Amino acid sequence: MATKLQRRTASLRKLHLLQTLNKPKSVKRSCSIINILLHFYKLKVKLEEIQREYQNLLKNIRIPKEVKVEKISGEQFVVRVACNKGGDKLVSILEVFDELGLNVVQARVSCRHFFSMEAIIGVGQDQKTSDMKDITDAVLKAIDEKQSGEQEMLVT
């Protein structure tokens, strides 16, 4: 008997709380519940509209291509890349590193809203010391080739 009373008071407390959020014009319980449901539906529609707007904004973001190379120790470099996502940019960048005889020691890649990569690379044993400008130019060229290839696919 006590649990039934506790459940009833708990539901009345919740209903009262919802009524205070909704600022009811009627005292009837059924009208209040309908108004509250309508209020929740309106909030849901607003949230969906905001999410659509957010997705449209993300589609239209254009990130300028950026490649930064810093020397951190004798034969190790940090390479930071940021550009629009799409295509096999990671693969082409890793191929460039391989062609230059560079070994990836550690890498962190993200493709959430745009492509970004931070990698620590080392010069291979059989390779001479690479120049930071050579690495930058080669990575930029790899990114440009992938982006131009994607644009040609979109046009045809």
Side-chain angles (χ1 to χ4, degrees), residues 22-146:
N22 193 31
K23 299 176 190 163
K25 297 172 186 151
S26 173
V27 185
K28 290 183 181 178
R29 185 186 287 181
S30 60
C31 290
S32 296
I33 292 173
I34 291 171
N35 287 337
I36 291 165
L37 291 174
L38 183 63
H39 182 70
F40 282 146
Y41 179 75
K42 287 178 182 178
L43 288 175
K44 180 183 171 192
V45 169
K46 273 186 185 177
L47 179 65
E48 289 171 351
E49 180 184 331
I50 291 170
Q51 286 174 334
R52 278 193 306 272
E53 197 173 309
Y54 177 71
Q55 291 300 324
N56 287 335
L57 286 173
L58 286 179
K59 287 179 186 176
N60 296 328
I61 290 177
R62 295 288 173 233
I63 303 295
K65 291 177 291 210
E66 182 179 26
V67 177
K68 291 182 181 179
V69 180
E70 300 172 16
K71 194 170 196 170
I72 55 174
S73 68
E75 300 295 322
Q76 288 192 334
F77 300 93
V78 174
V79 179
R80 291 182 181 88
V81 180
C83 59
N84 289 325
K85 67 179 181 177
D88 298 328
K89 290 184 175 69
L90 179 62
V91 173
S92 58
I93 291 170
L94 292 176
E95 286 173 350
V96 165
F97 290 163
D98 191 43
E99 289 170 6
L100 294 173
L102 302 170
N103 300 324
V104 178
V105 177
Q106 182 180 356
R108 184 175 37 206
V109 179
S110 172
C111 291
R112 183 162 183 174
H113 302 300
F114 56 92
F115 177 83
S116 67
M117 180 185 96
E118 182 176 322
I120 298 174
I121 56 173
V123 177
Q125 293 175 348
D126 58 337
Q127 183 68 19
K128 298 177 189 174
T129 305
S130 293
D131 184 23
M132 291 189 305
K133 185 167 176 18
D134 294 338
I135 298 170
T136 305
D137 292 341
V139 172
L140 277 171
K141 184 178 175 188
I143 293 171
D144 285 338
E145 288 174 1
K146 280 296 175 186

